[in-house]
């Protein structure tokens, strides 16, 4: 073999070796690429599995959140249509239900709306606190819920106002029966924090008269009937009639005029003499509020006092009467007292004590010359708190008298609980004493009771000499009535006061003055 051949062979071997090395490198690179590809494929597969899991979890969360949102929406709708305190349907749900109920009327069935207002709820709120008031509303809600049925729907409209819809049946007969049952249920005591709380309810009823009746008209009529029930007696129900609309407008006008009467100085204080039964000596005057309206004339207290109590104006009026009476009395002879009547509503606020102190301080009248007259209904609303206020008044030297004694149910027990300075025999017993032996026996028993307890006894409503002599012979301490004098404004008391200063027989003087005026 020639050198050329050797060289060519060597060159070929060298090329083959390089190709093998190159092939080897490529093979290794391919193997590494395959290994990497397989690794990446596994990672991609794992990533796909992870993504699939995340997607499934996200879908589940979306489903769960959708359900939660739906539940929250339903709960929000529930809360929007419920009172959060009583859990009764609220005014919104009441309106929807009433609208649907009226739309279902076809002329063969009736519908009644009963509008309820709790009697005494404000007193509970004022005397026992708002927390106790809330507990009372909850208890009322539970009691009303027991009346719900296919025919009866109960709702809370606001505060202590509730509504009951009675669908179908013989109206208004069934509505009247339901109203009686509701009133009976609300009269039962509510146990709140270990104490029994007594309230009541007044109800106004409106029934559908034709298919054109609207929810607004029906509610308006029931509201008018409710006001009629509250102004008549409370604790009763009234069925709407067209005449009530006129009364309601008159009542609203009275409320409006009453709110401006104090600022317009339309109120006056008249005074009626209180005389000793034995010698006829003048011992003081009872202050009696009068309203001289520029258009209505003299408005009877029985007309405007209940309205003032209901709208809360009695507190301002009562404070004015206290101040005016004390200012007038300070100019009388020092042995004369002034008696001022207090409304039960005035005891629902602690401001009564401040009003009494302010009246005495500003007038300079000694506390011993002020006599406050209360009825036993004052003690019935919250006996413990009221007794505390009475004791504070007594501590200042103010005298306390129980008015209308014998007309209530618990007078004797109250005499045991509080040492009254005076008890007043109601005029109804005095007026009947000469014809009714029972009334005479009651008067005799009250006078004996006063003597035993060392409490003075005054008989009011004395109109005849016969009544005066009988009361005097029985030992009554003081007398009051038209026999001696009608209530008079301060300017007309001059002759009576002059008689006191002359030390005359005031009884005879007052009688003569009255007869001359008559």
């Amino acid at each position: 073999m020639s050198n050329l051949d050797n060289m060519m062979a060597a060159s070929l071997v060298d090329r083959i070796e390089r190709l093998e090395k190159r092939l080897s490198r490529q093979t290794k690179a391919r193997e590494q690429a395959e290994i990497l590809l397989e690794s990446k494929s596994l990672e991609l597969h794992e990533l796909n599995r992870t993504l699939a899991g995340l997607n499934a979890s996200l879908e589940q969360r979306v489903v769960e959140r959708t359900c939660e949102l739906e539940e929250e929406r339903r709960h929000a709708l529930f809360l929007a249509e419920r009172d959060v305190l009583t859990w009764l349907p609220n005014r919104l749900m009441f309106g929807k239900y009433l609208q649907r109920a009226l739309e279902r009327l076809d002329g063969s069935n009736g519908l009644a709306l009963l509008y309820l207002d709790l009697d005494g709820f404000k007193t509970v709120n004022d005397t026992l606190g708002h927390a106790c008031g809330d507990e009372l509303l909850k208890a009322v809600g539970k009691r009303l819920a027991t009346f719900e049925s296919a025919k009866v729907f109960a709702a809370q409209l606001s505060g202590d106002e509730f509504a009951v819809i009675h669908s179908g049946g013989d109206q208004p007969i069934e509505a009247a029966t339901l109203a009686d049952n509701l009133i009976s249920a609300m009269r039962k005591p509510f146990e709140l924090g270990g104490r029994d709380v007594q309230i009541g309810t007044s109800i106004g009823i409106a029934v559908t008269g034709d298919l054109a009746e609207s929810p607004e008209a029906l509610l308006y009529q029931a509201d008018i009937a409710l006001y009629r029930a509250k102004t008549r007696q409370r604790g009763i129900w009234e069925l709407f009639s067209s005449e009530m609309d006129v009364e309601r407008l008159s009542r609203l006008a009275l409320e409006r005029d009453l709110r401006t009467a104090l600022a317009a100085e339309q109120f006056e204080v008249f005074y009626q003499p209180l005389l000793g039964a034995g010698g006829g000596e003048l011992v003081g005057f009872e202050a009696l509020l009068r309203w001289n309206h520029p258009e209505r004339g003299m408005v009877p207290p029985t007309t405007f006092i209940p309205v003032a109590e209901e709208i809360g104006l009695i507190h301002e009026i009562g404070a004015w009467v206290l101040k005016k009476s004390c200012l007038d009395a300070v100019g009388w002879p020092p042995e004369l007292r002034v008696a001022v009547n207090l409304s039960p509503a005035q005891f629902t606020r602690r401001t009564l004590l401040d009003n009494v102190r302010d009246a005495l301080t500003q007038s300079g009248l000694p506390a011993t010359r002020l006599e406050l007259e209360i009825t036993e209904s004052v003690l019935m609303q919250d006996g413990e708190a009221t007794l505390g206020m009475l004791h504070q008044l007594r501590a200042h030297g103010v005298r306390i008298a129980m008015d209308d004694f014998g007309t209530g149910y618990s007078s004797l027990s109250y005499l045991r609980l509080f040492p009254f300075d005076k008890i007043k025999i109601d005029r109804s017993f005095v007026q009947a004493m000469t014809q009714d032996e029972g009334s005479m026996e009651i008067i005799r028993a009250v006078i004996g009771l006063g003597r035993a307890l060392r409490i003075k006894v005054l008989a009011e409503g004395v109109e005849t000499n016969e009544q005066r002599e009988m009361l005097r012979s029985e030992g009554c301490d003081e007398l009051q009535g038209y026999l001696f004098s009608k209530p008079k404004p301060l300017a007309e008391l001059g002759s009576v006061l002059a008689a006191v200063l002359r030390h005359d027989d005031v009884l005879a003087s007052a009688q003569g003055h009255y007869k001359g005026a008559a």
Side-chain angles (χ1 to χ4, degrees):
M1 181 179 296
S2 63
N3 289 333
L4 181 61
D5 291 335
N6 288 334
M7 290 177 62
M8 292 178 63
S11 175
L12 182 60
V13 170
D14 184 55
R15 289 181 61 193
I16 290 172
E17 288 178 352
R18 287 199 305 272
L19 287 172
E20 287 177 346
K21 290 179 180 179
R22 183 178 178 184
L23 180 60
S24 177
R25 288 195 303 271
Q26 290 178 346
T27 300
K28 288 181 180 179
R30 182 176 179 179
E31 289 175 351
Q32 291 175 351
E34 288 177 350
I35 292 171
L36 180 62
L37 181 60
E38 183 178 359
S39 172
K40 295 301 181 183
S41 296
L42 291 173
E43 291 179 6
L44 183 60
H45 177 69
E46 188 62 31
L47 181 60
N48 285 335
R49 286 184 57 191
T50 302
L51 289 174
L54 290 173
N55 187 52
S57 176
L58 182 60
E59 288 179 356
Q60 179 64 26
R61 181 58 184 151
V62 169
V63 171
E64 291 175 355
R65 186 55 183 153
T66 301
C67 292
E68 290 174 1
L69 290 173
E70 179 62 22
E71 182 63 26
E72 289 176 4
R73 186 186 70 83
R74 285 196 297 266
H75 186 61
L77 289 175
F78 176 82
L79 292 179
E81 296 182 338
R82 295 273 172 172
D83 177 77
V84 295
L85 195 61
T86 64
W87 293 112
L88 287 175
N90 61 13
R91 183 179 286 271
L92 176 64
M93 188 173 180
F94 162 79
K96 292 179 180 179
Y97 185 93
L98 181 58
Q99 181 66 51
R100 290 195 298 267
L102 289 174
E103 290 171 353
R104 289 195 296 267
L105 291 178
D106 56 10
S108 61
N109 55 2
L111 182 144
L113 172 59
L114 289 74
Y115 200 159
L116 288 72
D117 182 80
L118 300 183
D119 300 327
F121 174 75
K122 186 177 185 302
T123 300
V124 173
N125 240 0
D126 291 341
T127 58
L128 302 182
H130 291 283
C132 190
D134 288 346
E135 290 302 314
L136 178 57
L137 288 178
K138 291 179 184 178
V140 169
K142 290 179 181 178
R143 200 167 288 186
L144 277 179
T146 62
F147 286 86
E148 292 182 331
S149 66
K151 285 186 175 182
V152 178
F153 173 88
Q156 182 180 21
L157 300 187
S158 63
D160 62 337
E161 294 183 347
F162 299 82
V164 175
I165 299 173
H166 189 288
S167 304
D170 186 9
Q171 302 297 357
I173 296 175
E174 292 194 23
T177 301
L178 176 59
D180 286 333
N181 293 335
L182 288 167
I183 290 172
S184 297
M186 293 304 155
R187 280 177 181 161
K188 297 176 182 177
F190 292 85
E191 186 178 344
L192 304 176
R195 74 169 75 194
D196 285 343
V197 174
Q198 193 106 26
I199 60 168
T201 186
S202 301
I203 302 177
I205 304 175
V207 297
T208 51
D210 54 63
L211 297 181
E213 205 74 61
S214 69
E216 294 77 17
L218 206 60
L219 188 59
Y220 175 75
Q221 293 170 4
D223 189 25
I224 291 176
L226 171 61
Y227 267 93
R228 174 67 176 273
K230 289 166 64 178
T231 54
R232 273 193 60 199
Q233 182 178 342
R234 290 182 178 270
I236 62 173
W237 59 264
E238 285 281 350
L239 179 65
F240 172 79
S241 63
S242 56
E243 293 80 8
M244 292 182 184
D245 207 0
V246 177
E247 292 180 11
R248 173 70 178 276
L249 293 175
S250 176
R251 163 63 181 255
L252 291 175
L254 181 64
E255 289 183 14
R256 183 188 63 245
D257 292 349
L258 191 56
R259 293 183 187 279
T260 61
L262 193 59
E265 299 182 351
Q266 296 172 6
F267 289 119
E268 298 180 52
V269 177
F270 280 32
Y271 296 94
Q272 188 173 30
L274 311 176
L275 297 101
E281 71 281 3
L282 184 66
V283 296
F285 292 92
E286 179 179 1
L288 298 165
L289 180 64
R290 295 293 184 263
W291 181 15
N292 190 2
H293 191 280
E295 297 175 1
R296 302 171 187 261
M298 296 300 290
V299 183
T302 53
T303 298
F304 71 85
I305 291 294
V307 178
E309 290 175 334
E310 185 174 328
I311 64 178
L313 197 61
I314 194 64
H315 301 283
E316 296 176 46
I317 295 175
W320 179 83
V321 172
L322 275 168
K323 187 177 297 184
K324 181 69 167 61
S325 302
C326 290
L327 286 170
D328 289 347
V330 79
W332 301 341
E335 67 271 20
L336 299 185
R337 302 188 303 271
V338 62
V340 180
N341 292 278
L342 295 182
S343 163
Q346 289 176 264
F347 281 82
T348 61
R349 293 186 185 176
R350 300 291 298 178
T351 52
L352 173 61
L353 297 172
D354 294 331
N355 292 338
V356 173
R357 283 193 290 260
D358 289 346
L360 292 172
T361 300
Q362 294 179 28
S363 65
L365 184 76
T368 53
R369 293 181 59 192
L370 175 61
E371 189 170 272
L372 300 178
E373 296 186 5
I374 68 169
T375 60
E376 69 174 281
S377 58
V378 169
L379 294 160
M380 292 176 66
Q381 60 191 14
D382 186 10
E384 186 176 338
T386 302
L387 283 172
M389 295 179 71
L390 291 176
H391 279 293
Q392 290 184 63
L393 290 168
R394 278 288 297 275
H396 281 81
V398 176
R399 299 165 58 89
I400 308 295
M402 179 182 282
D403 200 3
D404 301 336
F405 186 80
T407 59
Y409 299 101
S410 305
S411 299
L412 293 177
S413 64
Y414 293 138
L415 290 183
R416 179 178 56 84
L417 291 172
F418 184 81
F420 286 90
D421 297 287
K422 182 189 294 184
I423 50 181
K424 298 183 68 174
I425 301 174
D426 186 69
R427 67 180 63 249
S428 61
F429 298 116
V430 175
Q431 291 171 357
M433 64 185 294
T434 56
Q435 295 86 25
D436 178 22
E437 183 61 27
S439 294
M440 189 64 235
E441 290 298 330
I442 291 174
I443 291 174
R444 187 172 292 127
V446 173
I447 294 174
L449 181 64
R451 188 179 298 113
L453 296 177
R454 297 181 180 179
I455 299 175
K456 285 190 177 296
V457 178
L458 180 147
E460 58 182 358
V462 181
E463 297 181 357
T464 69
N465 284 318
E466 183 181 7
Q467 292 170 349
R468 180 193 64 184
E469 290 305 321
M470 291 177 68
L471 290 165
R472 177 188 286 179
S473 65
E474 291 295 335
C476 188
D477 298 294
E478 297 176 5
L479 305 175
Q480 175 184 2
Y482 280 9
L483 176 64
F484 316 115
S485 175
K486 288 183 177 181
K488 299 178 182 298
L490 181 67
E492 297 182 23
L493 297 183
S495 60
V496 179
L497 293 172
V500 177
L501 294 174
R502 292 195 308 268
H503 303 287
D504 291 343
D505 184 347
V506 180
L507 177 59
S509 175
Q511 281 186 266
H513 184 69
Y514 166 61
K515 290 176 181 177

